[in-house]
């Protein structure tokens, strides 16, 4: 019998902190593809799969947690919700708030949010407040708004967010039939690496996996507080989605790293952009810069000889490339290679067919 995916709450209800009274605010999130990468598999002499989270409704992994956070807020009678965002959280929050009939309030760093993400936020009807500062300052104000006014905070400090995001770990094991040896992903505010670790551990404890993977997280070198071991006052990276100097889930991320025997390391902006281009041209998977950070980290680990052959490795790519087309095109001199008259022979010659 045919089955239409119902969103992460209905698909994984028994694993989530919801009950029969919780309203389900969903856009059909989750159920994203696990795409085999022949290119990366060859490089690591193993088996590499890409968890393509850009296929979620608003184009990023944030939708998994937002369906839980907004459903819980609606169930508690909230009328307004607030978040700090570098882009993807605001795009997701405003979409789910619109669906729930809640007023969305968004705080973003002034002039430092990709146009694609801002367009989503505006079209979903948000009250957008730009802050002269970075993400960390935006989160500070969002926390204070939630403490002092009748508004629900739905950043990843809200535990429901991580509960929703952990479902991606469930899907990976469901698809592979077992846990991978290593799971790789970008690290910004550090909620996602924490959520995946929760999910992998729960499936192991529930008997659906025999073990858990090592968790490998990668940050941009200019925004790598977890690598440096201290907050960064003015983080800077072209990967705007992970341009965060003091991650809210810092301790949880360190626990995921340490308990899994994993690592958190840094890669340069140049490595990130190179990985973004390679992933697009070799595998047809177009991701925003921050989403290529895990791939960049895996490539760096291969180059330094830190990847054992024969491993099954899953890599989360977190957001779609259409979120930030300006960065993607910034290193390209011209989008159009050639301009010709209506002449098939000339077209064939340029294409190398004649």
């Amino acid at each position: 019998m045919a089955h239409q995916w119902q969103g992460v709450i209905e698909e994984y209800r028994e694993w989530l902190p919801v009950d029969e009274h919780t309203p389900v605010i969903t856009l059909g999130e989750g159920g994203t593809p696990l795409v085999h990468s022949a290119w990366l598999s060859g490089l690591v002499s193993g088996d590499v799969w890409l968890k393509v989270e850009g296929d979620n409704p608003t184009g990023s992994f944030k939708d998994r947690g937002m369906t839980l956070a907004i459903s819980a807020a609606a169930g508690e009678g909230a009328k307004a919700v607030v978040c700090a965002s570098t882009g993807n959280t605001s795009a997701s929050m405003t979409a789910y708030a619109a669906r729930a009939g809640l007023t969305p309030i968004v705080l973003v760093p002034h002039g430092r949010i990709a146009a694609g993400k801002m367009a989503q936020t505006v079209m979903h009807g948000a009250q957008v407040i730009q802050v002269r500062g970075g993400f960390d300052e935006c989160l500070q104000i969002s926390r204070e708004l939630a403490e002092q006014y009748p508004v629900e905070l739905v950043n990843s400090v809200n535990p429901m967010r991580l509960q929703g995001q952990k479902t991606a770990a469930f899907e990976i094991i469901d698809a592979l039939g077992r846990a991978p040896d290593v799971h790789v992903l970008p690290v910004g505010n550090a909620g996602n690496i924490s959520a995946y670790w929760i999910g992998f551990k729960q499936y192991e404890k529930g008997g659906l996996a025999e073990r858990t993977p090592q968790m490998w997280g990668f940050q941009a070198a200019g925004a790598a507080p977890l690598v440096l071991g201290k907050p960064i006052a003015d983080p800077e990276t072209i990967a705007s989605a992970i341009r965060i100097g003091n991650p809210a889930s810092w301790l949880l991320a360190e626990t995921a790293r340490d308990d899994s025997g994993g690592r958190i390391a840094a890669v340069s902006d140049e490595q990130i952009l190179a990985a973004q281009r390679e992933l697009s041209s070799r595998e047809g998977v177009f991701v925003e810069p921050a989403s290529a950070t895990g791939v960049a980290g895996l490539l760096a680990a291969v180059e330094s000889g830190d990847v054992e052959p024969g491993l099954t490795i899953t890599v989360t790519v977190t957001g779609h490339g259409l979120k930030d087309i300006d960065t993607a095109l910034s290193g390209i001199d011209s989008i159009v290679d050639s301009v010709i008259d209506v002449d098939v022979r000339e077209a064939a010659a340029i294409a190398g067919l004649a």
Side-chain angles (χ1 to χ4, degrees):
M1 180 180 293
H3 170 73
Q4 178 172 323
W5 184 265
Q6 301 177 75
V8 299
I9 293 178
E10 294 299 352
E11 297 291 339
Y12 292 107
R13 178 176 282 273
E14 68 272 23
W15 297 91
L16 299 170
V18 296
D19 57 33
E20 66 274 12
H21 303 297
T22 305
V24 178
I25 311 301
T26 182
L27 288 165
E29 63 292 317
T32 56
L34 190 65
V35 177
H36 186 260
S37 172
W39 165 54
L40 291 171
S41 296
L43 291 177
V44 306
S45 299
D47 208 16
V48 180
W49 299 80
L50 304 169
K51 185 61 170 166
V52 185
E53 289 290 88
D55 281 15
N56 275 297
T58 74
S60 86
F61 75 96
K62 303 287 187 177
D63 296 344
R64 291 181 181 275
M66 207 57 71
T67 183
L68 265 291
I70 297 296
S71 294
E76 293 167 2
K79 302 301 181 184
V81 286
V82 64
C83 75
S85 181
T86 54
N88 284 327
T89 297
S90 64
S92 181
M93 184 268 267
T94 54
Y96 283 82
R99 192 152 180 86
L102 305 179
T103 299
I105 304 166
V106 173
L107 288 93
V108 299
H110 178 61
R112 306 187 78 191
I113 179 172
K117 301 171 188 179
M118 182 61 81
Q120 289 178 282
T121 301
V122 171
M123 292 302 292
H124 294 151
Q127 174 68 57
V128 180
I129 303 171
Q130 293 201 30
V131 177
R132 294 185 185 92
F135 171 83
D136 301 298
E137 289 74 25
C138 292
L139 182 57
Q140 176 188 336
I141 296 174
S142 297
R143 286 179 185 268
E144 292 174 359
L145 283 173
E147 290 168 359
Q148 300 175 32
Y149 299 90
V151 58
E152 185 76 17
L153 179 64
V154 293
N155 278 100
S156 58
V157 293
N158 182 323
M160 297 300 279
R161 284 280 307 281
L162 301 193
Q163 288 294 312
Q165 287 168 209
K166 74 183 182 185
T167 59
F170 298 164
E171 290 179 22
I172 287 171
I173 294 175
D174 288 345
L176 293 178
R178 63 184 182 89
D181 298 303
V182 175
H183 185 72
V184 181
L185 71 177
V187 175
N189 210 29
N192 218 21
I193 189 172
S194 308
Y196 272 79
W197 183 235
I198 292 169
F200 283 130
K201 286 195 301 179
Q202 285 190 341
Y203 252 31
E204 181 196 33
K205 184 177 180 180
L208 278 74
E210 294 183 355
R211 55 182 172 75
T212 55
Q214 291 182 16
M215 302 297 293
W216 289 12
F218 292 95
Q219 298 193 288
L226 284 163
V227 179
L228 297 175
K230 61 181 180 180
I232 297 174
D234 296 300
E236 187 54 61
T237 172
I238 200 166
S240 60
I242 55 173
R243 190 190 290 138
I244 296 169
N246 190 13
S249 298
W250 187 310
L251 295 179
L252 290 174
E254 288 185 330
T255 297
R257 176 196 63 194
D258 297 343
D259 288 358
S260 72
R263 67 178 68 180
I264 297 178
V267 289
S268 68
D269 280 3
E270 291 75 20
Q271 288 172 301
I272 291 170
L273 293 177
Q276 181 192 33
R277 291 191 295 269
E278 291 286 289
L279 196 58
S280 294
S281 62
R282 292 179 181 273
E283 298 291 7
V285 177
F286 180 33
V287 301
E288 64 172 313
S291 301
T293 304
V295 175
L298 181 59
L299 293 173
V302 170
E303 188 173 344
S304 61
D306 291 338
V307 184
E308 297 177 13
L311 298 179
T312 296
I313 301 172
T314 49
V315 184
T316 295
V317 287
T318 47
H320 202 286
L322 292 175
K323 294 276 192 173
D324 185 2
I325 60 171
D326 291 337
T327 300
L329 297 176
S330 61
I332 298 175
D333 294 331
S334 175
I335 298 174
V336 179
D337 291 325
S338 305
V339 179
I340 66 170
D341 292 324
V342 185
D343 187 330
V344 66
R345 290 183 177 84
E346 189 175 0
I350 291 171
L353 300 175

